[in-house]
Amino acid sequence: SETLKVTFIAQPGKRPESYFVTLTTDEPGIPRAVLPVRGKCKQVFIVEPQVLYFGCVPKDRSETKEAVITHADGKPFQIREIRASNPEFSFKWDPLPAGGYRILATVLSARAGAIAEGAAVLTDHPAILAVPLQLSVRITGDVISLTPVLAAAQHPDKTVAPFQTVIQRLTPGELKIENVTEADGAAVAHTIERVDEKTCKLTVVFK
């Protein structure tokens, strides 16, 4: 007989894993044997929430969200650094009295668009050096439409139902809608219903 040693290396964030190891021997008739290998990765760090959703943030304005990271066994640890490939994100962290850290993630961008980032929280843990933290934000202008793409059904008489959306100002000041036109500048029939100082309901009618 021979002694076989199998090493199972758990990857951070993985759930229960199951594998099969095939052994080839010099045994006549049955030269192969299958050895099932099963393991479960124990969670070392807990991040709440795992994804920071910033929502809609006007460009050139900062927004900060908070996450908490703790050791699953309550053991002390140190955060050495938090890295993100996107320079629009910056981070600060403070130790909590009960253990762990409060992480403050701030986004500030001069370009509009959606940003999804996977940041890495670097710790002094000997085996798990980086803990993932997901970030998601939509950078907008000062005014946004809650329904950026309008769609409406066509009636049997080939008329189109009115399009409706809500226009909202995210920065200080009153929302003012002066006109609604098509891409070529042609006027579009519409009505505007004011909800509050920063919000209007816009209804557009196409013939």
Side-chain angles (χ1 to χ4, degrees):
S1 64
E2 295 286 343
T3 300
L4 174 67
K5 293 184 178 180
V6 178
T7 301
F8 181 85
I9 301 177
Q11 298 297 320
K14 295 289 185 181
R15 294 298 177 258
E17 298 281 358
S18 179
Y19 302 96
F20 292 94
V21 177
T22 301
L23 310 177
T24 302
T25 71
D26 59 357
E27 184 74 14
I30 309 177
R32 297 186 176 224
V34 177
L35 173 67
V37 178
R38 296 183 179 88
K40 184 176 182 181
C41 180
K42 178 182 177 182
Q43 188 173 8
V44 177
F45 291 103
I46 300 173
V47 179
E48 292 291 343
Q50 293 183 340
V51 181
L52 289 180
Y53 292 102
F54 289 82
C56 294
V57 179
K59 62 181 181 179
D60 297 319
R61 293 177 64 88
S62 64
E63 179 73 19
T64 300
K65 294 293 182 180
E66 178 181 321
V68 173
I69 178 172
T70 55
H71 196 291
D73 294 334
K75 296 179 181 179
F77 66 96
Q78 297 287 329
I79 292 180
R80 293 178 173 173
E81 187 181 359
I82 301 179
R83 293 179 182 174
S85 60
N86 202 313
E88 279 93 342
F89 293 101
S90 60
F91 305 92
K92 294 181 180 180
W93 55 92
D94 302 306
L96 297 173
Y101 288 85
R102 179 185 66 160
I103 298 173
L104 298 176
T106 300
V107 62
L108 174 61
S109 178
R111 59 185 179 92
I115 304 175
E117 173 72 42
V121 182
L122 306 183
T123 74
D124 61 351
H125 193 281
I128 304 176
L129 301 180
V131 182
L133 175 63
Q134 302 299 319
L135 309 164
S136 178
V137 62
R138 178 187 168 203
I139 304 298
T140 70
D142 294 340
V143 178
I144 65 169
S145 169
L146 299 187
T147 311
V149 179
L150 299 179
Q154 189 178 53
H155 296 311
D157 60 358
K158 296 186 178 181
T159 60
V160 179
F163 295 87
Q164 286 189 334
T165 187
V166 174
I167 310 297
Q168 192 173 58
R169 184 183 179 99
L170 300 178
T171 54
E174 180 183 357
L175 172 65
K176 296 180 180 179
I177 301 178
E178 296 181 351
N179 201 0
V180 179
T181 66
E182 295 188 35
D184 60 2
V188 175
H190 66 278
T191 60
I192 299 174
E193 178 185 346
R194 179 165 293 280
V195 178
D196 55 38
E197 182 186 26
K198 294 179 177 293
T199 310
C200 289
K201 182 184 293 184
L202 174 65
T203 302
V204 178
V205 181
F206 288 99
K207 296 181 180 180

